[in-house]
Amino acid sequence: MQRLTNRQILLGITGGIAAYKSAELTRQLRAAGAEVRIVMTPAATEFITPLTLQALSGNPVHLHLLDAEAEAGMGHIELAKWADLVLIAPASADFMARLANGQGNDLLTTLCLATEAPICLAPAMNQAMWRDSATQLNAAKLTERGVKLFGPGVGEQACGDNGPGRMLEPVELAQLTAEQFDTGLLTGKTVYITAGPTREPLDPVRYISNHSSGKMGYALAESAVDAGARVKLISGPVNLAAPARLQRVMVQTAEEMLAASLDGLDDCDIFIASAAVADYRPTAVAEQKIKKGAEEIMELHLVKNPDIVATVANQADKPFTVGFAAETRDVIEYARSKLDRKNLDMIVANDVSRSEIGFNSDENAVTVVSRQAEIELPQTSKRQLAGQLIRLIAEQYRQRSGR
Ligand code: C5P
């Protein structure tokens, strides 16, 4: 199971004997690639020590709502925003009651109120407590509000009883957590994504390139994988590790990127061009290192590179094709004209004159332009944005292909 790569999971632990299993759960989540931060209620610390969980999660454990030191590190609102998913395991009857009533009387309930991430609970309690009508009412209220319940399982309990109320095993909880990210929007579809810069050599040691980090393209590739797609990530030189469960093809030049893009294109359903392709390359690559001469001015002769996304979009049986437009002014107008000129189905426009977003930054804000609509996606992390973009692309792809 690899589906939690780079996912940020906030694990809440409440007071119950099953809290000892949260140590193994933390290990399982991390083994699946997640980053884990832990919040414990005071009762949970009676069952397992914060130190154990700190060591296993690799992060300090959050214990109190009004703790000046912790707030200075990562405040509770920041923590609520940080989470891609909140998992509370074990979730005690008392915690479920407080959450169902919208209380914010400790750090964990406050985080649940403040977060926009999905919340999942793994109830764990005595079978009679689980069957009690108050708990059942709370469970129903929570489910109605969109909170997911993982379990509980049925079986032997710590107190000697037998029945429903056992916390699911850590391996099952990690699997269920991972499944929350698999939206299935692109199940069975093949998606090609170009990412990063290209590098156009001048001689054996020099090249022309740009500052693209590849972060947006890599985030899109991960989101497409999560949505169930088969992904080929065609990447220029970047400092990013290959995401799991996809095929990565590393290239250097625009011509290599074009060749990798056309390779197997018949099977491609959606093509996303997020690469910052060099518009020009040197007409010739010197075989030996170019020597410094006496002249003050040196002229370079450049030739236009092929337009990869336009080439793809002009194939007879073209995939649903998405381009990017990085502009410094008149962003939407330029994006619209690019949409038409390159025969694209959708273009993602961003204003690169804003220094806090775009190139090399972890955040971005874009406007998605298609023939039918113009949709603004406000500033957020490139990972969140990638999820939103993949959802939009999947919707419009389905509309276009009538599926
Ligand atoms: O024309 P411009 O470079 O502004 O267009 C940007 C879009 O076109 C991006 O999606 C980029 O990946 C793609 N592109 C390309 N091949 C080129 C130049 C741009 O695929 N040679």
Side-chain angles (χ1 to χ4, degrees), residues 194 254 271 273-279 305-310 322-327 338 341-342 344 347:
T194 67
F271 188 91
S274 73
V277 184
D279 290 326
N305 264 329
D307 191 313
I308 299 167
V309 75
V322 182
F324 275 71
E327 306 292 349
K338 214 167 278 183
R341 187 160 35 85
K342 300 197 186 203
L344 307 178
I347 194 150

Side-chain angles (χ1 to χ4, degrees), residues 30 48 60 65 95 113 134 158 167 230 265 310 321 381 386 390:
R30 290 199 72 196
I48 183 165
L65 182 56
F95 180 79
L113 289 177
M167 186 168 91
R230 263 187 308 273
L265 192 69
T321 312
S381 72
I390 289 294

